[in-house]
């Protein structure tokens, strides 16, 4: 017998993970995704899966498929100076009792394929090319008008519709929007070289460059560039040259990557880095929020997707433990808020340090602290 029906708005990483988690707890989950198919909602090139993300994925039966399709590293990474001189090893923090790698790198399309496959196998209904037009929570359920002209009624609505969430307006009063932090991230796939066996970070004079293995023969390069104005989608053929200019001060391994692989023909993704933390409560009536809709996290710790996955796992646990939705939602927020706020705040601290506005800040110590906290129970 079903525990109830749940509509999940958004078919991204957080939405699909939540759908799997609640379906396995006995709910009937439906996901609506405005984009047209499994790949159209995928932005970026690759993704870092830290140990805590793998633990959460393991709790919904997905971790091993991600590891098999990705690059399970034996350490978190290492830090290098601009000239390529080695500075410090970053081993990562293990989760007690779990035999999982400190970090797994994976392509975003592959992760979406895995999550979608597991969701469908679990019995989740996924509807593409549609979202809600209107929500009406009458206290006993939520009536939905969909953009494709259909209607429905659900016991619970979960807003997993991203940093510019439409669902958020039904929960949070006033105008709540993310803000641009002054950095934007370049990302581009490159061949996997033997030296890229974990995250390689190389600090530059104006930003951080990094390399992440994401498969048997694939890695990606990222660079957090200081840009006062938020970039718009670029036209023309100068994106690669701009990235090469940013990487010009680098010697060592990053300089080699720049010279050999960053050319006018490579496909570069440039996205602004935005931040947001919504104060509690994250719910109102029968509607609850998760992921980027309440905590948009810049990429400096590789924790954005991890926190969305954790949200879904914890929300499913709380719903299964409490018949009273208000109690379940409060416990969910209580378990998640400080953990997510630590990630948001520390990521911003690292960004400020990279942009030269936080002298003396120890980014490695801050990263190690976050990894230690993330290893603690959910």
């Amino acid at each position: 017998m079903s525990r109830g029906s749940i509509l999940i708005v958004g078919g991204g990483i957080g939405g699909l993970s939540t759908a799997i988690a609640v379906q396995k707890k006995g709910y009937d989950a439906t996901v609506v995704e405005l984009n047209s198919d499994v790949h159209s909602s995928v932005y970026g090139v690759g993704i870092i899966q830290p140990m805590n993300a793998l633990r959460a994925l393991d709790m919904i039966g997905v971790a091993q498929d991600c590891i098999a399709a990705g690059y399970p590293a034996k350490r978190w990474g290492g830090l290098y100076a601009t000239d390529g001189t080695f500075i410090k090893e970053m081993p990562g923090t293990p989760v007690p009792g779990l035999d999982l790698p400190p970090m797994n790198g994976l392509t975003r399309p592959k992760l979406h394929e895995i999550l979608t496959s597991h969701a469908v196998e679990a019995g989740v209904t996924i509807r593409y090319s549609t979202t809600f037009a209107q929500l009406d929570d009458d206290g006993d359920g939520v009536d939905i008008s969909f953009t494709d002209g259909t209607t429905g009624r659900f016991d619970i609505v979960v807003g997993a519709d991203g940093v510019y969430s439409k669902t958020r307006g039904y929960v949070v009063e006033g105008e709540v929007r993310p803000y641009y932090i002054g950095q934007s991230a370049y990302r581009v796939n490159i061949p996997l070289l033997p030296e890229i066996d974990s995250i390689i970070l190389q600090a530059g004079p104006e930003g951080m460059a990094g390399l992440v293995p994401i498969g048997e023969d694939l890695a990606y390069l990222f660079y957090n560039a200081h840009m006062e104005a938020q970039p718009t989608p670029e036209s023309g053929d100068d994106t690669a040259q701009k990235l090469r200019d940013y990487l010009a001060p680098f010697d060592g391994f990053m300089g080699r990557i720049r010279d050999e692989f960053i050319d006018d023909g490579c496909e570069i993704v440039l996205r602004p880095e935005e931040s947001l933390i919504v104060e509690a409560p994250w719910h109102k009536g029968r509607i609850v929020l998760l992921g980027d809709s309440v905590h948009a996290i810049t990429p400096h710790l590789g924790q954005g997707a991890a926190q969305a996955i954790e949200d879904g796992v914890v929300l499913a646990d709380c719903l299964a433990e409490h018949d009273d939705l208000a109690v379940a939602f409060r416990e969910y927020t209580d378990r998640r808020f400080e953990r997510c706020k630590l990630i948001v705040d520390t990521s911003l601290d690292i960004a400020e340090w990279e942009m030269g506005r936080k002298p003396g800040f120890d980014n490695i110590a801050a990263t190690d602290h976050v990894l230690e906290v993330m290893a603690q129970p959910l």
Side-chain angles (χ1 to χ4, degrees):
M1 181 177 177
S2 172
R3 290 177 178 266
S5 58
I6 299 180
L7 176 70
I8 299 163
V9 183
I13 295 170
L16 290 172
S17 299
T18 303
I20 298 168
V22 298
Q23 190 80 24
K24 288 181 178 250
K25 292 291 187 181
Y27 293 89
D28 290 325
T30 297
V31 175
V32 287
E33 168 54 51
L34 186 57
N35 289 289
S36 60
D37 57 43
V38 64
H39 291 303
S40 58
S41 63
V42 179
Y43 303 103
V45 292
I47 192 164
I48 295 169
Q49 295 183 312
M51 173 74 83
N52 58 297
L54 295 173
R55 171 179 57 189
L57 289 167
D58 192 54
M59 294 170 73
I60 59 174
V62 179
Q64 292 305 319
D65 283 354
C66 291
I67 291 170
Y71 189 102
K74 295 181 180 179
R75 61 171 187 165
W76 174 259
L79 178 66
Y80 296 78
T82 309
D83 63 3
T85 303
F86 176 76
I87 298 176
K88 187 173 182 180
E89 177 106 0
M90 302 172 67
T93 303
V95 176
L98 289 182
D99 184 20
L100 293 170
M103 190 283 293
N104 184 58
L106 187 66
T107 69
R108 284 180 177 268
K110 179 56 68 174
L111 175 57
H112 277 256
E113 290 175 6
I114 291 169
L115 290 172
T116 300
S117 175
H118 277 263
V120 171
E121 183 179 343
V124 174
T125 299
I126 303 177
R127 296 171 58 182
Y128 293 105
S129 300
T130 191
T131 187
F132 73 88
Q134 184 69 34
L135 305 178
D136 182 14
D137 183 351
D138 61 16
D140 295 321
V142 186
D143 291 316
I144 318 290
S145 299
F146 293 103
T147 53
D148 63 1
T150 62
T151 60
R153 184 173 174 83
F154 291 82
D155 295 307
I156 298 167
V157 173
V158 177
D161 47 342
V163 67
Y164 291 97
S165 169
K166 182 180 175 182
T167 316
R168 187 168 59 221
Y170 289 85
V171 174
V172 180
E173 294 185 4
E175 184 72 10
V176 177
R177 294 176 66 83
Y179 71 93
Y180 176 59
I181 70 166
Q183 275 188 326
S184 294
Y186 285 90
R187 294 184 180 91
V188 58
N189 282 339
I190 62 170
L192 180 70
L193 303 179
E195 296 91 338
I196 312 175
D197 60 354
S198 62
I199 300 172
I200 294 176
L201 299 177
Q202 197 165 344
E206 296 183 353
M208 181 73 75
L211 299 164
V212 182
I214 54 176
E216 291 184 355
D217 56 3
L218 193 65
Y220 76 87
L221 177 147
F222 69 83
Y223 180 75
N224 294 323
H226 184 187
M227 300 179 183
E228 292 295 344
Q230 182 168 329
T232 57
E234 297 189 40
S235 59
D237 300 323
D238 60 349
T239 306
Q241 183 57 55
K242 288 181 179 179
L243 178 54
R244 286 195 295 270
D245 290 343
Y246 277 117
L247 296 175
F250 290 87
D251 291 320
F253 198 58
M254 208 64 65
R256 173 189 167 193
I257 297 295
R258 174 199 62 224
D259 295 341
E260 292 187 15
F261 300 111
I262 309 304
D263 56 46
D264 293 337
C266 62
E267 296 183 3
I268 299 172
V269 175
L270 174 61
R271 298 194 67 194
E273 297 177 6
E274 298 175 306
S275 184
L276 171 74
I277 183 73
V278 175
E279 296 295 328
W282 288 353
H283 64 92
K284 185 176 182 180
R286 292 178 170 269
I287 305 171
V288 63
L289 305 172
L290 58 75
D292 284 352
S293 68
V294 281
H295 49 75
I297 301 169
T298 61
H300 300 84
L301 290 164
Q303 284 284 342
Q307 294 308 301
I309 298 165
E310 287 188 355
D311 284 349
V313 170
V314 172
L315 177 60
D317 282 346
C318 294
L319 288 172
E321 291 172 4
H322 302 286
D323 293 331
D324 187 324
L325 283 186
V327 173
F329 290 160
R330 280 197 301 269
E331 181 179 306
Y332 154 70
T333 308
D334 287 345
R335 289 171 59 181
R336 297 300 303 150
F337 182 80
E338 291 299 334
R339 189 176 176 94
C340 295
K341 188 175 187 302
L342 171 66
I343 299 294
V344 171
D345 291 346
T346 307
S347 296
L348 288 174
D349 285 341
I350 295 173
E352 289 292 294
W353 168 75
E354 288 182 2
M355 291 185 283
R357 299 199 286 243
K358 206 173 181 68
F361 178 75
D362 189 338
N363 70 309
I364 300 301
T367 300
D368 287 343
H369 173 67
V370 165
L371 293 176
E372 290 170 3
V373 174
M374 292 305 105
Q376 296 173 8
L378 291 176

